[in-house]
Amino acid sequence: MAQPARPPAAFRGQNGAGQQPYSNGPVQNQLMHSSDGQGYNPSAPGSYSHQMPAKVPPHQSSGQYNYSSSQIASQLNNYQGPGQILNRVAPPSGSPVQQAGSVPQVLPPAPQNSAASSAGGFGAAPPGLSSWPYGQAPASHPGGSQTSHLAHVAGTASIHPPSSLPGNSNPPGSYQYAASPGGPPLQNSYMKPASAPPPVTQPLPPLHLPRPPLGPPPVAGPPLIRPSTLTAAAAPPPSSSVPQSLLNSTANREGDAASTASDGSVVQNSYDAIEGGGLMATTHPSPATPNVNMGRNVGYSYPNLPPGYQNTSPGAPGLQAPALQYPDGSKPFHQPPLGPNHLTASMGTLSLQQEGLRPVNLLQERNILPTTILQAPVPNLHEDIQKLNCNPELFRCTLTNIPQTQALLNKAKLPLGLLLHPFKDLSQLPVVTSSTIVRCRSCRTYINPFVSFLDQRRWKCNLCYRVNDVPEEFMYNPVTRAYGEPHKRPEVQNATIEFMAPSEYMLRPPQPPVYLFVFDVSHNAIETGYLNTVCQTLLDNLDLLPGNTRTKIGFITFDSTIHFYSLQEGLSQPQMLIVSDIEDVFIPMPENLLVNLNENRELIQDLLKTLPQMFTKSLETQSALGPALQAAFKLMSPTGGRISVFQTQLPSLGMGALKSREEPNQRSNAKDIHLTPSTDFYKKLALDCSGQQVAVDLFLLSGQYSDLASLGCISRYSAGSVYYYQSYHHKHNPVQVEKLQKELKRYLTRKIGFEAVMRIRCTKGLSIHTFHGNFFVRSTDLLSLPNVNPDAGYAVQMAVEESLSDMQVVSFQSALLYTSSKGERRIRVHTMCLPVVATLSDVYLGADVQAITGLLANMAVDRSVSASLSDARDALVNAVIDSLAAYRSSVLSIQQPGLMAPRSLRLFPLYVLALLKQKAFQAGTSARLDERIFTMCQVKNQPLVYLMLMTHPNLYRVDNLSDEGALNINDKTIPQPPILQLSVEKLSRDGAYLMDAGSVMYLWVGKNCGQNFISQVLGVPNYGSVPQNMTHLPELETAESIRTTTFIAWLREQRPFFPILYIVKDESPLKSSFLQNMIEDRTESALSYYEFLLHIQQQVNK
Amino acid sequence: MAFTFAAFCYMLSLVLCAALIFFAIWHIIAFDELRTDFKSPIDQCNPLVLPEYSIHSLFCIMFLCAQEWLTLGLNVPLLFYHIWRYFHCPADSSELAYDPPAVMNADTLSYCQKEAWCKLAFYLLSFFYYLYCMIYTLVSS
């Protein structure tokens, strides 16, 4: 176990010593780039230490602040949104005045303390009834955690008030921050430490910004509308008790300074001051002036009434707040951000929602497919929060409105889950180097844009709601080189970010990149000629293999024996070592089998050049894949790394030998197909590999049945990938050769992460139910990924364990800890924030039909393996029926005839029908077993975009491409033809159509297709002379040809695999595959779209 | 009063039952650790499953021989359950009931936990039942 444990442990590691002032500097990315940590250290820290020794609030000189500004801040700030920049307000005005500022502090931006009340009883949500176990809530502890949570909240809240009471006074000055409770920090004040007045005589008041959690968006309303509540809610400083005493002392001093400030108001400030005290000394209080919004707020709520105002409202809130609010059960923390949202949302988007809610009668809408690529729905969050939200390509949820309770989720009959593409290649990725990675102390969540800053020095975790301290280093913002702006740090401005992990995140020194290639060289393999292609591609890309000077590489070949290659330095040519004992495999020599790529490059190139010729005479037909894998595992286990296996037939010798299970006559019999592995040798070996940080990628190039169901386990549990080239042959099937070349190139040169683990955290109340993808699940929320690659997607089913009714938003965070090919330990963090809703219609409104389809496909794969294919198919159909029936019975008030679907789900039946017709799930067809299983592997391992393309291809008419609406990328004009429905009725004989089905493309040319297209694009004189097996478009100098080829090239570029283009004529044999993808049409064994709708309607209306 | 075979069976089962109780508790703890991430599922596929099954079948055989029909009847359902589990584990598996990649699935995990609790309850009850029966047979005969 030790092995597997490593990564996680590391992962969990604490930030560790963060003592250094700020090492961060400059991170690699441009954004962050410039900061000079050094400068910072000297100045700021120094001052800091003087004045602020303890958190105890020193006396403050009130003078520094601007009062007014602070107010503003308080209300507005809450928001972390990027947009809102709280600029600094004017420089500090006179001292006394500022106290008034405290008042604002009091006002908490976040009204929502109420949450506390709700704990109740959500009780165990009943397990889902639907045919899928969507989310069955475990039900185990319905209320437990929640209650605790509430309690916690309450505690803090209560605390808060007290502080205010005694209060007294805090140094007004300090408050600037306070003013912005919710806000993102107003951060004005801190900018220049140097300027800060000398502490000696008068200590400056501490500044802190209380920031409410996400802060209500500035926009609005909340402050205006209910100022009182706001104040009450005021950011609760967590640690009340201590503060009080401090406060008092400070208060006294302040009293003087502050002059007018009333105690109550002051009090709060003081509290804050305590926390932020150190800062104050250094900084100048400069009030924030900020955005328009702020201005507004000010206007509204508390214009310039510092003194009077303070007395009344601030004080009151402080005192009363607890009593008032809590009883109400208002939610303490969370809401702030969203609150406004909702307001604005409901008002602003009213019409939009209406539109979204308007049911669609599927039977009447003929053209339901949008003509452009369907975009992910945008969560109904305040735009400032939404702006920060994670890109849907990386992180997507099936329901962008999260149902409050499991009961509601069960009612909706939709699956709740996430689809992730965590390691996607990104063109812009902020990277942070810092000695301390700021994480929640209890749940270990990384700080993210959706946390709330209670004040300058404390932030509240958005997943577990614990209040954490902001470490000193985090106060400095390397991007702006400003101090005291924790909310503007890149960590808090980017939902996707990468950290350079310090040594606490390593259980061992980062491993070097190690690549081992295992080639099948039996007679059969040599026949296919793949070795040439692979060796040549490898040779060409040797320099592009991701790695550094430590990169190691090795080769093993096998037939009925295993051959190792010694690449020892000094040898004139590679030396082959043959191990024929396949029952008890051993490694013939301890070293020189895996060698440093740079130091032995010539030998390696030699080997790659000679390898294809070495076995041409081989008559050995047996294949000892199992023993070869065992040998490879032994070779790799000290370091970890990647094994790439090329296999061309059913393994027949030694451990892991398989027997053919495919019976051609029964192919169509869905009942007897073998989707489960016949042996668990490969699974166990994969688990061993996983423990040693070794991933196995399988390239299966096989003409006959090779039992991918069994072989695939080796990749599935070791986080590898599977590639399948059916009937690969270098002469008979040249398109496959090109495909292999292109895909192998991508495979070799793409980014790679070693010894990775991925943890997915979600807001308390949600829990992870099941994971889908290639990995080994190490814990309820932790995936062990010996290798991670940019082309792998993952899906997660979630359940609502406890009611979320006291929250307005929930967040999900995935953190991927990996070792880069350069030997750096890095953490890539994605955070997504989604609103919580209480009504069924809202749940439907936010449904993401593509994500739902993707998740259902994953679930269906599991179902086909654990039960049967027909079960899985039924479950898919039932998913549509159940959700539409639930919609009909629970949401629609008027029962209209027809098949009504919410607008968000209007494509649901179509996509499910597409799934049913997809190779993985189609019934009674001639799909070969390996092909079916490969498609299932793809469903599990592909990111959603590609999965959708595989499921529901895009059809374009390409004989009349124009530049209208075209994209311009790199001086190339890429036409964007509209997407057509997949029905033969959309095809016309005078056109040419391109069907993009992900891993394959068909260009169908109609019989009467314009002469222009045929000669200008296909480069042949007439239709009759279009070759039967044409797979390439000629590069012609005509505008039509350029348009078509750039369009196809553009489509190809966007994906990691290489779709073969087939040109299909009416009489061509591929026509049937082309027509098979015409999902809306009827085939022998499957319903047409309209029939499918009728079937669903019948079931729904039952 | 006589030391019959039945009494011997009960005495032996009493002792072994204590072992089963230990196994059940061990399972509960193990699953809990899994849930809290202290343990790797690979290690979870534990060696205690087979001993547990064999001990329990031993009970059944002993009670059969001792012609303790009621006791046998009480144990038969669990015996069948064990047989069913044994033959429904993943192909070729030596790990029996717990499949490392699958065990972390929320359904599977909660099922396993429930199973462990139920077994604990069953073994505890049978422990007292055996105790009672042992004394009863000793006294009555």
Short mmCIF file of all heavy atoms in Angstrom, two decimals, chain A residues 902-948:
data_model
loop_
_atom_site.label_atom_id
_atom_site.label_comp_id
_atom_site.label_asym_id
_atom_site.label_seq_id
_atom_site.Cartn_x
_atom_site.Cartn_y
_atom_site.Cartn_z
N PRO A 902 -38.91 20.78 -21.70
CA PRO A 902 -38.35 22.09 -21.41
C PRO A 902 -37.36 22.46 -22.52
O PRO A 902 -36.78 21.57 -23.14
CB PRO A 902 -37.62 21.90 -20.08
CG PRO A 902 -37.49 20.44 -19.89
CD PRO A 902 -38.53 19.77 -20.72
N ARG A 903 -37.22 23.72 -22.71
CA ARG A 903 -36.38 24.15 -23.81
C ARG A 903 -34.95 23.61 -23.68
O ARG A 903 -34.32 23.23 -24.65
CB ARG A 903 -36.36 25.68 -23.81
CG ARG A 903 -35.78 26.22 -25.05
CD ARG A 903 -36.11 27.68 -25.26
NE ARG A 903 -35.45 28.07 -26.49
CZ ARG A 903 -35.91 27.73 -27.69
NH1 ARG A 903 -37.04 27.06 -27.79
NH2 ARG A 903 -35.25 28.08 -28.76
N SER A 904 -34.48 23.57 -22.44
CA SER A 904 -33.10 23.13 -22.23
C SER A 904 -32.93 21.65 -22.62
O SER A 904 -31.84 21.21 -22.93
CB SER A 904 -32.73 23.30 -20.76
OG SER A 904 -33.64 22.58 -19.96
N LEU A 905 -34.02 20.92 -22.59
CA LEU A 905 -33.91 19.49 -22.88
C LEU A 905 -34.49 19.13 -24.24
O LEU A 905 -34.76 17.97 -24.51
CB LEU A 905 -34.66 18.69 -21.80
CG LEU A 905 -34.01 18.66 -20.42
CD1 LEU A 905 -34.86 17.85 -19.46
CD2 LEU A 905 -32.61 18.10 -20.48
N ARG A 906 -34.68 20.13 -25.08
CA ARG A 906 -35.36 19.81 -26.33
C ARG A 906 -34.55 18.85 -27.18
O ARG A 906 -35.10 18.13 -28.01
CB ARG A 906 -35.70 21.09 -27.10
CG ARG A 906 -34.48 21.84 -27.61
CD ARG A 906 -34.86 23.24 -28.04
NE ARG A 906 -33.77 23.90 -28.71
CZ ARG A 906 -32.73 24.45 -28.09
NH1 ARG A 906 -32.66 24.40 -26.77
NH2 ARG A 906 -31.77 25.03 -28.76
N LEU A 907 -33.25 18.82 -26.97
CA LEU A 907 -32.45 17.90 -27.78
C LEU A 907 -32.22 16.56 -27.08
O LEU A 907 -31.54 15.69 -27.61
CB LEU A 907 -31.08 18.54 -28.09
CG LEU A 907 -31.15 19.77 -28.97
CD1 LEU A 907 -29.79 20.42 -29.08
CD2 LEU A 907 -31.65 19.41 -30.35
N PHE A 908 -32.76 16.44 -25.90
CA PHE A 908 -32.50 15.23 -25.12
C PHE A 908 -32.92 13.96 -25.85
O PHE A 908 -32.13 13.03 -25.99
CB PHE A 908 -33.19 15.39 -23.76
CG PHE A 908 -32.76 14.39 -22.72
CD1 PHE A 908 -31.50 13.81 -22.75
CD2 PHE A 908 -33.63 14.04 -21.69
CE1 PHE A 908 -31.11 12.90 -21.79
CE2 PHE A 908 -33.25 13.13 -20.73
CZ PHE A 908 -32.00 12.55 -20.78
N PRO A 909 -34.16 13.90 -26.34
CA PRO A 909 -34.55 12.66 -27.03
C PRO A 909 -33.67 12.38 -28.24
O PRO A 909 -33.29 11.24 -28.49
CB PRO A 909 -35.99 12.93 -27.46
CG PRO A 909 -36.48 14.00 -26.57
CD PRO A 909 -35.29 14.84 -26.23
N LEU A 910 -33.30 13.44 -28.92
CA LEU A 910 -32.46 13.25 -30.11
C LEU A 910 -31.10 12.66 -29.71
O LEU A 910 -30.61 11.72 -30.33
CB LEU A 910 -32.27 14.59 -30.81
CG LEU A 910 -31.39 14.57 -32.05
CD1 LEU A 910 -31.99 13.66 -33.11
CD2 LEU A 910 -31.20 15.97 -32.61
N TYR A 911 -30.52 13.21 -28.67
CA TYR A 911 -29.20 12.73 -28.26
C TYR A 911 -29.26 11.31 -27.72
O TYR A 911 -28.36 10.51 -27.94
CB TYR A 911 -28.60 13.67 -27.21
CG TYR A 911 -28.06 14.96 -27.79
CD1 TYR A 911 -27.84 16.06 -26.99
CD2 TYR A 911 -27.76 15.07 -29.14
CE1 TYR A 911 -27.33 17.25 -27.51
CE2 TYR A 911 -27.26 16.24 -29.68
CZ TYR A 911 -27.05 17.33 -28.87
OH TYR A 911 -26.55 18.50 -29.39
N VAL A 912 -30.33 11.03 -27.02
CA VAL A 912 -30.43 9.66 -26.51
C VAL A 912 -30.64 8.69 -27.66
O VAL A 912 -30.07 7.60 -27.70
CB VAL A 912 -31.55 9.56 -25.46
CG1 VAL A 912 -31.87 8.11 -25.16
CG2 VAL A 912 -31.12 10.26 -24.19
N LEU A 913 -31.43 9.11 -28.61
CA LEU A 913 -31.60 8.26 -29.79
C LEU A 913 -30.25 8.05 -30.47
O LEU A 913 -29.92 6.95 -30.92
CB LEU A 913 -32.60 8.90 -30.75
CG LEU A 913 -32.88 8.08 -32.01
CD1 LEU A 913 -33.61 6.79 -31.66
CD2 LEU A 913 -33.69 8.88 -33.02
N ALA A 914 -29.47 9.12 -30.50
CA ALA A 914 -28.14 9.02 -31.11
C ALA A 914 -27.28 8.03 -30.33
O ALA A 914 -26.54 7.24 -30.92
CB ALA A 914 -27.48 10.39 -31.17
N LEU A 915 -27.39 8.09 -29.02
CA LEU A 915 -26.63 7.12 -28.22
C LEU A 915 -27.05 5.70 -28.54
O LEU A 915 -26.22 4.80 -28.64
CB LEU A 915 -26.86 7.37 -26.72
CG LEU A 915 -26.04 8.44 -26.03
CD1 LEU A 915 -26.43 8.53 -24.57
CD2 LEU A 915 -24.55 8.14 -26.15
N LEU A 916 -28.36 5.52 -28.67
CA LEU A 916 -28.86 4.18 -28.94
C LEU A 916 -28.36 3.67 -30.29
O LEU A 916 -28.27 2.47 -30.51
CB LEU A 916 -30.39 4.16 -28.93
CG LEU A 916 -31.04 4.45 -27.58
CD1 LEU A 916 -32.54 4.53 -27.73
CD2 LEU A 916 -30.68 3.36 -26.58
N LYS A 917 -28.08 4.59 -31.17
CA LYS A 917 -27.62 4.17 -32.50
C LYS A 917 -26.11 4.17 -32.59
O LYS A 917 -25.54 3.86 -33.63
CB LYS A 917 -28.20 5.12 -33.56
CG LYS A 917 -29.70 4.99 -33.67
CD LYS A 917 -30.23 5.77 -34.85
CE LYS A 917 -31.73 5.53 -35.00
NZ LYS A 917 -32.27 6.15 -36.20
N GLN A 918 -25.48 4.57 -31.51
CA GLN A 918 -24.03 4.61 -31.54
C GLN A 918 -23.47 3.20 -31.42
O GLN A 918 -24.11 2.31 -30.87
CB GLN A 918 -23.57 5.47 -30.36
CG GLN A 918 -22.23 6.08 -30.57
CD GLN A 918 -21.50 6.18 -29.26
OE1 GLN A 918 -21.82 5.49 -28.30
NE2 GLN A 918 -20.50 7.04 -29.21
N LYS A 919 -22.27 3.02 -31.90
CA LYS A 919 -21.70 1.67 -31.91
C LYS A 919 -21.70 1.01 -30.55
O LYS A 919 -21.89 -0.19 -30.43
CB LYS A 919 -20.26 1.73 -32.42
CG LYS A 919 -20.16 1.73 -33.91
CD LYS A 919 -18.86 1.05 -34.35
CE LYS A 919 -18.72 1.10 -35.85
NZ LYS A 919 -18.29 2.44 -36.29
N ALA A 920 -21.47 1.79 -29.52
CA ALA A 920 -21.36 1.19 -28.20
C ALA A 920 -22.67 0.54 -27.78
O ALA A 920 -22.67 -0.49 -27.12
CB ALA A 920 -20.94 2.24 -27.18
N PHE A 921 -23.77 1.13 -28.15
CA PHE A 921 -25.04 0.65 -27.61
C PHE A 921 -25.99 0.11 -28.65
O PHE A 921 -27.07 -0.34 -28.32
CB PHE A 921 -25.74 1.79 -26.86
CG PHE A 921 -24.87 2.42 -25.81
CD1 PHE A 921 -24.39 3.70 -25.95
CD2 PHE A 921 -24.51 1.68 -24.68
CE1 PHE A 921 -23.56 4.25 -24.99
CE2 PHE A 921 -23.69 2.24 -23.71
CZ PHE A 921 -23.22 3.52 -23.87
N GLN A 922 -25.63 0.16 -29.91
CA GLN A 922 -26.60 -0.25 -30.91
C GLN A 922 -26.91 -1.74 -30.76
O GLN A 922 -26.07 -2.53 -30.32
CB GLN A 922 -26.12 0.08 -32.32
CG GLN A 922 -24.86 -0.63 -32.70
CD GLN A 922 -24.31 -0.10 -34.00
OE1 GLN A 922 -23.35 -0.63 -34.51
NE2 GLN A 922 -24.90 0.94 -34.56
N ALA A 923 -28.10 -2.05 -31.07
CA ALA A 923 -28.53 -3.43 -30.87
C ALA A 923 -28.47 -4.15 -32.20
O ALA A 923 -28.64 -3.57 -33.25
CB ALA A 923 -29.95 -3.45 -30.35
N GLY A 924 -28.22 -5.41 -32.09
CA GLY A 924 -28.36 -6.29 -33.23
C GLY A 924 -27.76 -5.79 -34.51
O GLY A 924 -28.38 -5.83 -35.56
N THR A 925 -26.56 -5.31 -34.44
CA THR A 925 -25.96 -4.91 -35.69
C THR A 925 -24.75 -5.78 -35.89
O THR A 925 -24.47 -6.66 -35.11
CB THR A 925 -25.50 -3.47 -35.63
OG1 THR A 925 -24.45 -3.43 -34.69
CG2 THR A 925 -26.61 -2.58 -35.22
N SER A 926 -24.07 -5.48 -36.90
CA SER A 926 -22.91 -6.28 -37.18
C SER A 926 -21.67 -5.71 -36.53
O SER A 926 -20.56 -6.06 -36.88
CB SER A 926 -22.71 -6.36 -38.68
OG SER A 926 -22.65 -5.04 -39.17
N ALA A 927 -21.85 -4.81 -35.59
CA ALA A 927 -20.68 -4.23 -34.95
C ALA A 927 -19.83 -5.33 -34.34
O ALA A 927 -20.33 -6.22 -33.69
CB ALA A 927 -21.10 -3.25 -33.87
N ARG A 928 -18.55 -5.25 -34.59
CA ARG A 928 -17.69 -6.26 -34.02
C ARG A 928 -17.51 -5.97 -32.54
O ARG A 928 -17.55 -4.82 -32.12
CB ARG A 928 -16.35 -6.25 -34.74
CG ARG A 928 -16.53 -6.43 -36.22
CD ARG A 928 -15.23 -6.33 -36.91
NE ARG A 928 -14.38 -7.47 -36.52
CZ ARG A 928 -13.34 -7.85 -37.24
NH1 ARG A 928 -13.03 -7.21 -38.33
NH2 ARG A 928 -12.64 -8.88 -36.86
N LEU A 929 -17.27 -7.02 -31.82
CA LEU A 929 -17.22 -6.88 -30.37
C LEU A 929 -16.12 -5.92 -29.93
O LEU A 929 -16.33 -5.04 -29.09
CB LEU A 929 -17.02 -8.27 -29.76
CG LEU A 929 -17.14 -8.36 -28.25
CD1 LEU A 929 -18.37 -7.65 -27.76
CD2 LEU A 929 -17.17 -9.82 -27.84
N ASP A 930 -14.95 -6.09 -30.53
CA ASP A 930 -13.85 -5.21 -30.12
C ASP A 930 -14.17 -3.75 -30.42
O ASP A 930 -13.80 -2.85 -29.68
CB ASP A 930 -12.56 -5.60 -30.84
CG ASP A 930 -11.87 -6.74 -30.14
OD1 ASP A 930 -12.26 -7.06 -29.00
OD2 ASP A 930 -10.95 -7.33 -30.73
N GLU A 931 -14.84 -3.57 -31.53
CA GLU A 931 -15.16 -2.21 -31.92
C GLU A 931 -16.15 -1.59 -30.93
O GLU A 931 -16.02 -0.45 -30.53
CB GLU A 931 -15.79 -2.25 -33.30
CG GLU A 931 -15.44 -1.08 -34.15
CD GLU A 931 -16.05 -1.21 -35.51
OE1 GLU A 931 -16.34 -2.35 -35.93
OE2 GLU A 931 -16.26 -0.17 -36.14
N ARG A 932 -17.11 -2.41 -30.56
CA ARG A 932 -18.09 -1.95 -29.60
C ARG A 932 -17.41 -1.60 -28.28
O ARG A 932 -17.67 -0.56 -27.68
CB ARG A 932 -19.13 -3.05 -29.38
CG ARG A 932 -20.30 -2.62 -28.54
CD ARG A 932 -21.18 -3.80 -28.19
NE ARG A 932 -21.97 -4.34 -29.28
CZ ARG A 932 -23.16 -3.86 -29.65
NH1 ARG A 932 -23.67 -2.83 -29.03
NH2 ARG A 932 -23.82 -4.40 -30.64
N ILE A 933 -16.53 -2.48 -27.86
CA ILE A 933 -15.87 -2.22 -26.58
C ILE A 933 -14.95 -1.02 -26.67
O ILE A 933 -14.85 -0.23 -25.73
CB ILE A 933 -15.13 -3.48 -26.11
CG1 ILE A 933 -16.19 -4.50 -25.73
CG2 ILE A 933 -14.22 -3.18 -24.95
CD1 ILE A 933 -15.68 -5.87 -25.55
N PHE A 934 -14.32 -0.88 -27.81
CA PHE A 934 -13.48 0.30 -27.97
C PHE A 934 -14.32 1.57 -27.87
O PHE A 934 -13.92 2.56 -27.24
CB PHE A 934 -12.74 0.26 -29.32
CG PHE A 934 -11.95 1.50 -29.59
CD1 PHE A 934 -10.89 1.84 -28.78
CD2 PHE A 934 -12.27 2.33 -30.64
CE1 PHE A 934 -10.15 2.99 -29.01
CE2 PHE A 934 -11.54 3.48 -30.88
CZ PHE A 934 -10.48 3.82 -30.06
N THR A 935 -15.49 1.55 -28.49
CA THR A 935 -16.35 2.73 -28.40
C THR A 935 -16.75 2.98 -26.95
O THR A 935 -16.83 4.12 -26.50
CB THR A 935 -17.61 2.54 -29.25
OG1 THR A 935 -17.23 1.88 -30.45
CG2 THR A 935 -18.22 3.86 -29.60
N MET A 936 -16.97 1.91 -26.23
CA MET A 936 -17.31 2.09 -24.81
C MET A 936 -16.13 2.71 -24.06
O MET A 936 -16.31 3.57 -23.20
CB MET A 936 -17.68 0.76 -24.18
CG MET A 936 -19.03 0.25 -24.65
SD MET A 936 -19.46 -1.24 -23.78
CE MET A 936 -21.15 -1.46 -24.35
N CYS A 937 -14.93 2.25 -24.38
CA CYS A 937 -13.75 2.86 -23.75
C CYS A 937 -13.70 4.34 -24.05
O CYS A 937 -13.37 5.16 -23.20
CB CYS A 937 -12.45 2.24 -24.28
SG CYS A 937 -12.22 0.54 -23.86
N GLN A 938 -14.04 4.66 -25.30
CA GLN A 938 -14.00 6.08 -25.67
C GLN A 938 -15.05 6.88 -24.92
O GLN A 938 -14.80 7.99 -24.50
CB GLN A 938 -14.21 6.22 -27.17
CG GLN A 938 -12.99 5.84 -27.96
CD GLN A 938 -13.16 6.20 -29.41
OE1 GLN A 938 -14.14 5.79 -30.04
NE2 GLN A 938 -12.24 6.97 -29.93
N VAL A 939 -16.22 6.29 -24.79
CA VAL A 939 -17.26 6.99 -24.05
C VAL A 939 -16.76 7.34 -22.66
O VAL A 939 -16.95 8.43 -22.14
CB VAL A 939 -18.53 6.12 -23.94
CG1 VAL A 939 -19.49 6.69 -22.93
CG2 VAL A 939 -19.19 5.99 -25.29
N LYS A 940 -16.05 6.39 -22.07
CA LYS A 940 -15.56 6.60 -20.71
C LYS A 940 -14.42 7.59 -20.64
O LYS A 940 -14.23 8.25 -19.64
CB LYS A 940 -15.08 5.25 -20.16
CG LYS A 940 -16.21 4.36 -19.74
CD LYS A 940 -16.40 4.54 -18.27
CE LYS A 940 -17.45 3.61 -17.71
NZ LYS A 940 -17.53 3.73 -16.27
N ASN A 941 -13.63 7.62 -21.68
CA ASN A 941 -12.37 8.33 -21.56
C ASN A 941 -12.31 9.62 -22.37
O ASN A 941 -11.37 10.38 -22.23
CB ASN A 941 -11.24 7.40 -21.99
CG ASN A 941 -9.89 7.90 -21.53
OD1 ASN A 941 -9.78 8.49 -20.47
ND2 ASN A 941 -8.88 7.69 -22.35
N GLN A 942 -13.28 9.85 -23.23
CA GLN A 942 -13.21 11.05 -24.05
C GLN A 942 -13.82 12.24 -23.32
O GLN A 942 -14.81 12.09 -22.62
CB GLN A 942 -14.02 10.87 -25.35
CG GLN A 942 -13.45 9.89 -26.32
CD GLN A 942 -12.28 10.45 -27.06
OE1 GLN A 942 -12.00 11.63 -26.98
NE2 GLN A 942 -11.56 9.60 -27.76
N PRO A 943 -13.24 13.40 -23.51
CA PRO A 943 -13.90 14.59 -23.02
C PRO A 943 -15.25 14.78 -23.73
O PRO A 943 -15.45 14.24 -24.83
CB PRO A 943 -12.95 15.71 -23.41
CG PRO A 943 -11.66 15.06 -23.72
CD PRO A 943 -11.95 13.68 -24.15
N LEU A 944 -16.11 15.51 -23.08
CA LEU A 944 -17.48 15.62 -23.57
C LEU A 944 -17.60 16.08 -25.02
O LEU A 944 -18.40 15.53 -25.77
CB LEU A 944 -18.26 16.56 -22.66
CG LEU A 944 -19.74 16.71 -23.00
CD1 LEU A 944 -20.45 15.39 -22.84
CD2 LEU A 944 -20.38 17.76 -22.15
N VAL A 945 -16.81 17.05 -25.40
CA VAL A 945 -16.94 17.56 -26.78
C VAL A 945 -16.83 16.44 -27.81
O VAL A 945 -17.62 16.36 -28.74
CB VAL A 945 -15.81 18.55 -27.16
CG1 VAL A 945 -16.38 19.77 -27.77
CG2 VAL A 945 -14.87 18.79 -26.02
N TYR A 946 -15.81 15.61 -27.63
CA TYR A 946 -15.59 14.57 -28.63
C TYR A 946 -16.63 13.47 -28.51
O TYR A 946 -17.05 12.88 -29.49
CB TYR A 946 -14.18 14.00 -28.48
CG TYR A 946 -13.13 15.05 -28.42
CD1 TYR A 946 -12.18 15.07 -27.43
CD2 TYR A 946 -13.12 16.09 -29.37
CE1 TYR A 946 -11.23 16.06 -27.37
CE2 TYR A 946 -12.17 17.08 -29.32
CZ TYR A 946 -11.22 17.07 -28.31
OH TYR A 946 -10.28 18.07 -28.25
N LEU A 947 -17.03 13.26 -27.28
CA LEU A 947 -18.07 12.26 -27.08
C LEU A 947 -19.35 12.67 -27.80
O LEU A 947 -20.01 11.86 -28.47
CB LEU A 947 -18.33 12.08 -25.58
CG LEU A 947 -19.46 11.16 -25.21
CD1 LEU A 947 -19.22 9.76 -25.77
CD2 LEU A 947 -19.62 11.08 -23.70
N MET A 948 -19.68 13.94 -27.72
CA MET A 948 -20.89 14.40 -28.37
C MET A 948 -20.77 14.29 -29.88
O MET A 948 -21.73 13.96 -30.58
CB MET A 948 -21.20 15.86 -27.99
CG MET A 948 -21.76 16.04 -26.61
SD MET A 948 -23.03 14.85 -26.15
CE MET A 948 -24.30 15.25 -27.33
#
